[in-house]
Amino acid sequence: MTDMEKIEPGKYVEMVYDLYVVNPDGDELVHQVDVENPEKIIFGVTPGVIAPLEKALDGLKSGDAFDVKVSADEGFGQYDPEQVAHLEKEIFEIDGKFDADHIKAGAVVPMMTQDGFRLSGKVVEVTDKEVVMDFNHPLAGKEVRFVGKVGVVREAT
């Protein structure tokens, strides 16, 4: 029997985890990745893997557990007030009528920038003239914690 493969650059890795926001009064579960739909990455290659999580995974084997705290700076970034936009209500009209069913405080709305980039924004407020939307990542400015387990580790194909 061969040694179990370790996570190293170029390996295909599947993992499951619970993602928590770290609050002074305890951690709050905000997202779960489960065995039916694991997160799949090519270690060291897939872009967007949070650096401290990637560092914690390095050298782990299938079945190993991980528990990583990540600061806002290393995770989803600091909250940026510049990412809050005041948009004219006309943008949200369908056949000349404002879409009040979908555009209301708390709603997350898929949008597209002028150059065709898709992003989601959260409606903060709807006034007589405008819709205030926040395009910050929902976890911006928050310390988070990944608690999970490594699944498959193998050569990438």
Side-chain angles (χ1 to χ4, degrees), residues 100 102-108 122-126 132:
H102 297 102
I103 310 302
K104 51 185 180 246
V108 174
K122 186 171 185 176
V123 178
V124 180
E125 184 187 9
V126 178
V132 182

Side-chain angles (χ1 to χ4, degrees), residues 14-90:
E14 290 184 1
M15 61 183 151
V16 296
Y17 59 81
D18 292 345
L19 176 60
Y20 296 89
V21 168
V22 178
N23 293 318
D25 54 357
D27 297 353
E28 173 197 355
L29 181 65
V30 291
H31 183 70
Q32 283 184 301
V33 175
D34 61 30
V35 286
E36 275 78 59
N37 195 9
E39 184 142 333
K40 302 170 177 126
I41 63 166
I42 306 294
F43 187 76
V45 177
T46 302
V49 178
I50 290 182
L53 175 60
E54 195 166 62
K55 197 171 153 202
L57 291 170
D58 198 358
L60 294 182
K61 299 191 258 325
S62 179
D64 286 351
F66 56 89
D67 184 343
V68 191
K69 267 191 180 172
V70 181
S71 69
D73 283 333
E74 293 181 297
F76 297 96
Q78 290 299 339
Y79 186 85
D80 181 4
E82 299 279 309
Q83 295 293 315
V84 176
H86 295 254
L87 304 171
E88 293 177 22
K89 275 178 106 166
E90 287 83 61

Side-chain angles (χ1 to χ4, degrees), residues 135-154:
F135 291 100
N136 279 285
H137 188 285
L139 297 175
K142 296 181 162 68
E143 182 182 12
V144 296
R145 185 170 161 214
F146 292 88
V147 180
K149 198 172 182 177
V150 177
V152 175
V153 178
R154 61 169 166 76

